[in-house]
Amino acid sequence: MSRRSQEWFQDRADAGRRLAQKLLAAGYGPPSDAIVLALPRGGVPVGFEVAQALGLPLDVFIVRKLGVPGFEELAMGALASGGVRVLNPGVLREVRDGGAVLAQVTSREAAEIERREAAYRGGRPAPEPAGKTAILVDDGLATGATMRAAVAALRRRAAGRIVVAVPVGAPEVCAALASEADEAVCLIAPEGFQAVGQFYRDFTQTSDEEVRALLARATSVR
């Protein structure tokens, strides 16, 4: 199958609009106590379109992958805002001096979470999910490590209902998240999935500036 034949989305905004239609058909939208929480950076353009279409507030929920040094795409686990950590024991067992490596990477990523909290919110408090429906949005699910950490963190913070919503994901990861969250909406879960980017024509990295601009636009519209 050629790369061109695999592309489903023009860019993240296009993916967000298509995902929003699926969520609207499922009944999500006002009047509602729901909030859209996007995983930065790539989930924010998707989440912006979802929040606009559903008439819901948008904020970020910051999660960082705990990548193996030198092989960062291979996740030992993930760390979420609030200090919740989800581990991948199978990968961790294969890392030499895994405990020490994990501690070092966790410390580095915790600092990055703090930086992003300050950079994206500009002093605004983090949203309070207790009792609310939290719609967690990202641009796709590959290993699912960061999304699993986000779900676990929201469980700890007593979210009323947790919905994972993504344009594309690996079939087995979408199935696993459906059992960990209250619902998982994967617009497509194609066999032969290799990477999220293969389903986007434009998968340019989202910048901090774009994240801040989209959050500001979402606030001004509401």
Side-chain angles (χ1 to χ4, degrees):
M1 182 181 291
S2 69
R3 175 175 170 77
R4 180 57 57 87
S5 67
Q6 292 175 311
E7 292 168 348
W8 280 69
F9 310 112
Q10 178 65 35
D11 54 20
R12 291 180 177 89
D14 175 45
R17 289 188 288 269
R18 297 195 201 188
L19 179 60
Q21 293 306 307
K22 180 81 169 181
L23 290 165
L24 282 169
Y28 292 99
S32 171
D33 64 348
I35 181 171
V36 176
L37 296 175
L39 274 58
R41 300 184 183 103
V44 176
V46 182
F48 176 83
E49 298 295 338
V50 169
Q52 293 300 293
L54 273 58
L56 297 174
L58 171 71
D59 212 314
V60 290
F61 198 77
I62 302 173
V63 186
R64 295 289 294 171
K65 182 186 298 181
L66 301 174
V68 177
F71 304 91
E72 276 69 20
E73 288 304 308
L74 187 58
M76 297 180 288
L79 185 69
S81 293
V84 174
R85 190 172 70 176
V86 173
L87 300 180
N88 185 341
V91 172
L92 197 54
R93 280 194 296 268
E94 300 301 318
V95 178
R96 185 176 181 180
D97 298 324
V101 172
L102 178 64
Q104 181 182 31
V105 173
T106 298
S107 177
R108 183 184 69 225
E109 297 302 345
E112 177 62 12
I113 286 175
E114 289 184 11
R115 184 196 72 80
R116 291 191 180 200
E117 292 275 8
Y120 298 158
R121 291 206 175 88
R124 290 185 297 110
E128 179 48 65
K132 297 179 181 178
T133 295
I135 304 176
L136 282 167
V137 177
D138 204 354
D139 54 13
L141 293 174
T143 67
T146 52
M147 188 62 80
R148 288 176 58 226
V151 170
L154 288 173
R155 289 276 185 228
R156 183 175 292 185
R157 295 174 64 178
R161 180 174 173 80
I162 302 172
V163 180
V164 170
V166 296
V168 60
E172 65 278 7
V173 177
C174 289
L177 263 300
S179 64
E180 295 190 30
D182 295 295
E183 183 178 359
V185 177
C186 293
L187 197 56
I188 58 171
E191 296 296 331
F193 177 99
Q194 294 178 329
V196 172
Q198 77 189 91
F199 298 95
Y200 286 83
R201 185 177 301 249
D202 179 359
F203 200 60
T204 306
Q205 184 174 359
T206 305
S207 68
D208 282 349
E209 290 71 22
E210 289 174 283
V211 170
R212 285 192 290 266
L214 288 170
L215 291 174
R217 282 179 60 194
T219 300
S220 66
V221 168
R222 288 188 62 79

